[in-house]
Amino acid sequence: DADEWGSEVSPRISLGWDVTSAVELRASYGKAFRQPSVAELYYPFSGNPDLEAEQSDSFELGVVGFIGATRLQANLFSTEVDDLIDFDYVTYAYANVADQAIRVVDRNLRAPYIAQAAVTYERQLPGRTTLSVTYSTSRGVRVLRSRNINAPLPGTYNQLDAAAAVRPASGGNVYQYES
């Protein structure tokens, strides 16, 4: 019954600013609302009629650059969800998840890149034959990774009672992006 949650608005605002003809800065903010589906509420054996509607806030910052015909874009974003509806494999029913993952960008984050080089030696041999020897190398520098800096401490996580796990800080998972 959609009337249980009333009428909801999910606004979004976005701004863009052309710093130069080759660089644009972007920012946006939005709110969203999602009521539980009929299956999440009433599906036999796994439905949960006590579910609350999801609500979320999203932020995004970005930069777009043009170098000739090449377009480069980088974005940072974060979404916080309250009362996320997810399937709980312990109770085998849908449930509202209290704490959601937070995304953090490491202050020492550096742009990753791959350096590649190749050297080729060719020699024309008799009889319309060519000898070619190529040496190529590739090296990735500052490859990105995501690390849960609030993961349960070793030996404290139990699949049957995940909420009882001991974490370094209160709350749920905190994923930090690093290079």
Side-chain angles (χ1 to χ4, degrees), residues 104-123:
V104 179
V105 177
D106 183 30
R107 63 185 171 161
N108 296 317
L109 184 71
R110 301 290 183 261
Y113 66 90
I114 296 175
Q116 296 178 322
V119 176
T120 301
Y121 173 77
E122 286 189 358
R123 174 87 183 197

PDB file of all heavy atoms in Angstrom, residues 104-123:
ATOM      1  N   VAL A 104      35.386   6.668   1.820  1.00  0.00           N
ATOM      2  CA  VAL A 104      36.338   7.703   2.191  1.00  0.00           C
ATOM      3  C   VAL A 104      37.465   7.682   1.174  1.00  0.00           C
ATOM      4  O   VAL A 104      37.934   6.621   0.784  1.00  0.00           O
ATOM      5  CB  VAL A 104      36.920   7.420   3.602  1.00  0.00           C
ATOM      6  CG1 VAL A 104      37.929   8.472   3.986  1.00  0.00           C
ATOM      7  CG2 VAL A 104      35.810   7.333   4.625  1.00  0.00           C
ATOM      8  N   VAL A 105      37.911   8.857   0.758  1.00  0.00           N
ATOM      9  CA  VAL A 105      39.050   8.944  -0.146  1.00  0.00           C
ATOM     10  C   VAL A 105      40.278   9.285   0.689  1.00  0.00           C
ATOM     11  O   VAL A 105      40.285  10.266   1.430  1.00  0.00           O
ATOM     12  CB  VAL A 105      38.820  10.002  -1.242  1.00  0.00           C
ATOM     13  CG1 VAL A 105      40.045  10.132  -2.117  1.00  0.00           C
ATOM     14  CG2 VAL A 105      37.606   9.642  -2.076  1.00  0.00           C
ATOM     15  N   ASP A 106      41.299   8.458   0.588  1.00  0.00           N
ATOM     16  CA  ASP A 106      42.534   8.663   1.335  1.00  0.00           C
ATOM     17  C   ASP A 106      43.155  10.000   0.935  1.00  0.00           C
ATOM     18  O   ASP A 106      43.210  10.350  -0.235  1.00  0.00           O
ATOM     19  CB  ASP A 106      43.497   7.517   1.023  1.00  0.00           C
ATOM     20  CG  ASP A 106      44.793   7.604   1.799  1.00  0.00           C
ATOM     21  OD1 ASP A 106      44.779   8.143   2.916  1.00  0.00           O
ATOM     22  OD2 ASP A 106      45.814   7.125   1.280  1.00  0.00           O
ATOM     23  N   ARG A 107      43.624  10.768   1.918  1.00  0.00           N
ATOM     24  CA  ARG A 107      44.178  12.094   1.615  1.00  0.00           C
ATOM     25  C   ARG A 107      45.465  12.004   0.816  1.00  0.00           C
ATOM     26  O   ARG A 107      45.881  12.962   0.191  1.00  0.00           O
ATOM     27  CB  ARG A 107      44.409  12.870   2.898  1.00  0.00           C
ATOM     28  CG  ARG A 107      45.414  12.228   3.796  1.00  0.00           C
ATOM     29  CD  ARG A 107      45.550  12.935   5.090  1.00  0.00           C
ATOM     30  NE  ARG A 107      46.387  12.110   5.955  1.00  0.00           N
ATOM     31  CZ  ARG A 107      46.991  12.550   7.000  1.00  0.00           C
ATOM     32  NH1 ARG A 107      46.853  13.791   7.355  1.00  0.00           N
ATOM     33  NH2 ARG A 107      47.740  11.749   7.717  1.00  0.00           N
ATOM     34  N   ASN A 108      46.108  10.834   0.804  1.00  0.00           N
ATOM     35  CA  ASN A 108      47.332  10.650   0.025  1.00  0.00           C
ATOM     36  C   ASN A 108      47.075   9.983  -1.321  1.00  0.00           C
ATOM     37  O   ASN A 108      48.006   9.512  -1.960  1.00  0.00           O
ATOM     38  CB  ASN A 108      48.343   9.818   0.825  1.00  0.00           C
ATOM     39  CG  ASN A 108      48.779  10.526   2.085  1.00  0.00           C
ATOM     40  OD1 ASN A 108      49.046  11.720   2.060  1.00  0.00           O
ATOM     41  ND2 ASN A 108      48.809   9.806   3.188  1.00  0.00           N
ATOM     42  N   LEU A 109      45.831   9.922  -1.741  1.00  0.00           N
ATOM     43  CA  LEU A 109      45.479   9.267  -3.000  1.00  0.00           C
ATOM     44  C   LEU A 109      46.174   9.956  -4.162  1.00  0.00           C
ATOM     45  O   LEU A 109      46.160  11.179  -4.287  1.00  0.00           O
ATOM     46  CB  LEU A 109      43.965   9.307  -3.199  1.00  0.00           C
ATOM     47  CG  LEU A 109      43.442   8.567  -4.421  1.00  0.00           C
ATOM     48  CD1 LEU A 109      43.572   7.066  -4.212  1.00  0.00           C
ATOM     49  CD2 LEU A 109      41.991   8.918  -4.659  1.00  0.00           C
ATOM     50  N   ARG A 110      46.782   9.175  -5.010  1.00  0.00           N
ATOM     51  CA  ARG A 110      47.455   9.682  -6.206  1.00  0.00           C
ATOM     52  C   ARG A 110      46.857   8.975  -7.414  1.00  0.00           C
ATOM     53  O   ARG A 110      46.456   7.820  -7.342  1.00  0.00           O
ATOM     54  CB  ARG A 110      48.956   9.407  -6.163  1.00  0.00           C
ATOM     55  CG  ARG A 110      49.659  10.018  -4.977  1.00  0.00           C
ATOM     56  CD  ARG A 110      49.699  11.558  -5.106  1.00  0.00           C
ATOM     57  NE  ARG A 110      50.438  12.154  -4.012  1.00  0.00           N
ATOM     58  CZ  ARG A 110      49.882  12.681  -2.938  1.00  0.00           C
ATOM     59  NH1 ARG A 110      48.581  12.655  -2.790  1.00  0.00           N
ATOM     60  NH2 ARG A 110      50.606  13.228  -2.004  1.00  0.00           N
ATOM     61  N   ALA A 111      46.827   9.667  -8.511  1.00  0.00           N
ATOM     62  CA  ALA A 111      46.256   9.096  -9.720  1.00  0.00           C
ATOM     63  C   ALA A 111      47.098   7.907 -10.183  1.00  0.00           C
ATOM     64  O   ALA A 111      48.321   8.019 -10.295  1.00  0.00           O
ATOM     65  CB  ALA A 111      46.181  10.140 -10.820  1.00  0.00           C
ATOM     66  N   PRO A 112      46.469   6.773 -10.440  1.00  0.00           N
ATOM     67  CA  PRO A 112      47.227   5.627 -10.931  1.00  0.00           C
ATOM     68  C   PRO A 112      47.564   5.808 -12.406  1.00  0.00           C
ATOM     69  O   PRO A 112      46.870   6.524 -13.131  1.00  0.00           O
ATOM     70  CB  PRO A 112      46.267   4.462 -10.741  1.00  0.00           C
ATOM     71  CG  PRO A 112      44.917   5.077 -10.823  1.00  0.00           C
ATOM     72  CD  PRO A 112      45.068   6.465 -10.250  1.00  0.00           C
ATOM     73  N   TYR A 113      48.637   5.179 -12.833  1.00  0.00           N
ATOM     74  CA  TYR A 113      48.950   5.179 -14.254  1.00  0.00           C
ATOM     75  C   TYR A 113      49.756   3.939 -14.577  1.00  0.00           C
ATOM     76  O   TYR A 113      50.317   3.286 -13.709  1.00  0.00           O
ATOM     77  CB  TYR A 113      49.673   6.449 -14.687  1.00  0.00           C
ATOM     78  CG  TYR A 113      51.052   6.644 -14.108  1.00  0.00           C
ATOM     79  CD1 TYR A 113      52.179   6.145 -14.758  1.00  0.00           C
ATOM     80  CD2 TYR A 113      51.231   7.324 -12.915  1.00  0.00           C
ATOM     81  CE1 TYR A 113      53.441   6.323 -14.236  1.00  0.00           C
ATOM     82  CE2 TYR A 113      52.493   7.507 -12.392  1.00  0.00           C
ATOM     83  CZ  TYR A 113      53.595   7.003 -13.053  1.00  0.00           C
ATOM     84  OH  TYR A 113      54.844   7.183 -12.525  1.00  0.00           O
ATOM     85  N   ILE A 114      49.794   3.632 -15.837  1.00  0.00           N
ATOM     86  CA  ILE A 114      50.568   2.491 -16.310  1.00  0.00           C
ATOM     87  C   ILE A 114      51.606   3.036 -17.276  1.00  0.00           C
ATOM     88  O   ILE A 114      51.269   3.728 -18.241  1.00  0.00           O
ATOM     89  CB  ILE A 114      49.679   1.448 -17.000  1.00  0.00           C
ATOM     90  CG1 ILE A 114      48.691   0.860 -15.995  1.00  0.00           C
ATOM     91  CG2 ILE A 114      50.523   0.355 -17.626  1.00  0.00           C
ATOM     92  CD1 ILE A 114      47.696  -0.101 -16.611  1.00  0.00           C
ATOM     93  N   ALA A 115      52.868   2.749 -16.996  1.00  0.00           N
ATOM     94  CA  ALA A 115      53.960   3.149 -17.881  1.00  0.00           C
ATOM     95  C   ALA A 115      54.300   1.950 -18.760  1.00  0.00           C
ATOM     96  O   ALA A 115      54.517   0.847 -18.263  1.00  0.00           O
ATOM     97  CB  ALA A 115      55.168   3.575 -17.065  1.00  0.00           C
ATOM     98  N   GLN A 116      54.302   2.162 -20.061  1.00  0.00           N
ATOM     99  CA  GLN A 116      54.607   1.091 -21.003  1.00  0.00           C
ATOM    100  C   GLN A 116      55.711   1.565 -21.942  1.00  0.00           C
ATOM    101  O   GLN A 116      55.740   2.732 -22.329  1.00  0.00           O
ATOM    102  CB  GLN A 116      53.379   0.708 -21.821  1.00  0.00           C
ATOM    103  CG  GLN A 116      52.267   0.134 -20.973  1.00  0.00           C
ATOM    104  CD  GLN A 116      51.040  -0.194 -21.787  1.00  0.00           C
ATOM    105  OE1 GLN A 116      50.678   0.519 -22.701  1.00  0.00           O
ATOM    106  NE2 GLN A 116      50.403  -1.298 -21.443  1.00  0.00           N
ATOM    107  N   ALA A 117      56.582   0.644 -22.288  1.00  0.00           N
ATOM    108  CA  ALA A 117      57.665   0.972 -23.219  1.00  0.00           C
ATOM    109  C   ALA A 117      57.939  -0.247 -24.085  1.00  0.00           C
ATOM    110  O   ALA A 117      57.732  -1.386 -23.664  1.00  0.00           O
ATOM    111  CB  ALA A 117      58.920   1.379 -22.462  1.00  0.00           C
ATOM    112  N   ALA A 118      58.383   0.004 -25.284  1.00  0.00           N
ATOM    113  CA  ALA A 118      58.727  -1.083 -26.195  1.00  0.00           C
ATOM    114  C   ALA A 118      59.884  -0.643 -27.094  1.00  0.00           C
ATOM    115  O   ALA A 118      59.955   0.521 -27.497  1.00  0.00           O
ATOM    116  CB  ALA A 118      57.537  -1.483 -27.044  1.00  0.00           C
ATOM    117  N   VAL A 119      60.780  -1.575 -27.354  1.00  0.00           N
ATOM    118  CA  VAL A 119      61.895  -1.347 -28.273  1.00  0.00           C
ATOM    119  C   VAL A 119      61.878  -2.499 -29.262  1.00  0.00           C
ATOM    120  O   VAL A 119      61.788  -3.667 -28.870  1.00  0.00           O
ATOM    121  CB  VAL A 119      63.241  -1.315 -27.513  1.00  0.00           C
ATOM    122  CG1 VAL A 119      64.401  -1.174 -28.489  1.00  0.00           C
ATOM    123  CG2 VAL A 119      63.246  -0.197 -26.495  1.00  0.00           C
ATOM    124  N   THR A 120      61.966  -2.166 -30.536  1.00  0.00           N
ATOM    125  CA  THR A 120      61.935  -3.190 -31.574  1.00  0.00           C
ATOM    126  C   THR A 120      63.169  -3.045 -32.464  1.00  0.00           C
ATOM    127  O   THR A 120      63.559  -1.936 -32.830  1.00  0.00           O
ATOM    128  CB  THR A 120      60.667  -3.059 -32.445  1.00  0.00           C
ATOM    129  OG1 THR A 120      59.533  -3.197 -31.599  1.00  0.00           O
ATOM    130  CG2 THR A 120      60.621  -4.112 -33.521  1.00  0.00           C
ATOM    131  N   TYR A 121      63.750  -4.182 -32.792  1.00  0.00           N
ATOM    132  CA  TYR A 121      64.860  -4.220 -33.732  1.00  0.00           C
ATOM    133  C   TYR A 121      64.411  -5.066 -34.914  1.00  0.00           C
ATOM    134  O   TYR A 121      63.956  -6.200 -34.746  1.00  0.00           O
ATOM    135  CB  TYR A 121      66.096  -4.843 -33.074  1.00  0.00           C
ATOM    136  CG  TYR A 121      67.224  -5.074 -34.044  1.00  0.00           C
ATOM    137  CD1 TYR A 121      68.023  -4.011 -34.470  1.00  0.00           C
ATOM    138  CD2 TYR A 121      67.488  -6.342 -34.543  1.00  0.00           C
ATOM    139  CE1 TYR A 121      69.047  -4.220 -35.367  1.00  0.00           C
ATOM    140  CE2 TYR A 121      68.510  -6.560 -35.433  1.00  0.00           C
ATOM    141  CZ  TYR A 121      69.292  -5.493 -35.852  1.00  0.00           C
ATOM    142  OH  TYR A 121      70.299  -5.695 -36.748  1.00  0.00           O
ATOM    143  N   GLU A 122      64.500  -4.514 -36.103  1.00  0.00           N
ATOM    144  CA  GLU A 122      64.132  -5.250 -37.312  1.00  0.00           C
ATOM    145  C   GLU A 122      65.331  -5.320 -38.241  1.00  0.00           C
ATOM    146  O   GLU A 122      66.080  -4.346 -38.384  1.00  0.00           O
ATOM    147  CB  GLU A 122      62.960  -4.580 -38.036  1.00  0.00           C
ATOM    148  CG  GLU A 122      61.649  -4.777 -37.355  1.00  0.00           C
ATOM    149  CD  GLU A 122      60.479  -4.296 -38.196  1.00  0.00           C
ATOM    150  OE1 GLU A 122      60.699  -3.771 -39.304  1.00  0.00           O
ATOM    151  OE2 GLU A 122      59.343  -4.450 -37.740  1.00  0.00           O
ATOM    152  N   ARG A 123      65.455  -6.433 -38.894  1.00  0.00           N
ATOM    153  CA  ARG A 123      66.558  -6.627 -39.831  1.00  0.00           C
ATOM    154  C   ARG A 123      66.023  -7.360 -41.050  1.00  0.00           C
ATOM    155  O   ARG A 123      65.362  -8.396 -40.927  1.00  0.00           O
ATOM    156  CB  ARG A 123      67.655  -7.460 -39.152  1.00  0.00           C
ATOM    157  CG  ARG A 123      68.772  -7.867 -40.014  1.00  0.00           C
ATOM    158  CD  ARG A 123      69.804  -6.797 -40.036  1.00  0.00           C
ATOM    159  NE  ARG A 123      70.867  -7.200 -40.943  1.00  0.00           N
ATOM    160  CZ  ARG A 123      72.028  -6.659 -40.935  1.00  0.00           C
ATOM    161  NH1 ARG A 123      72.284  -5.700 -40.088  1.00  0.00           N
ATOM    162  NH2 ARG A 123      72.948  -7.042 -41.782  1.00  0.00           N
TER     163      ARG A 123
END
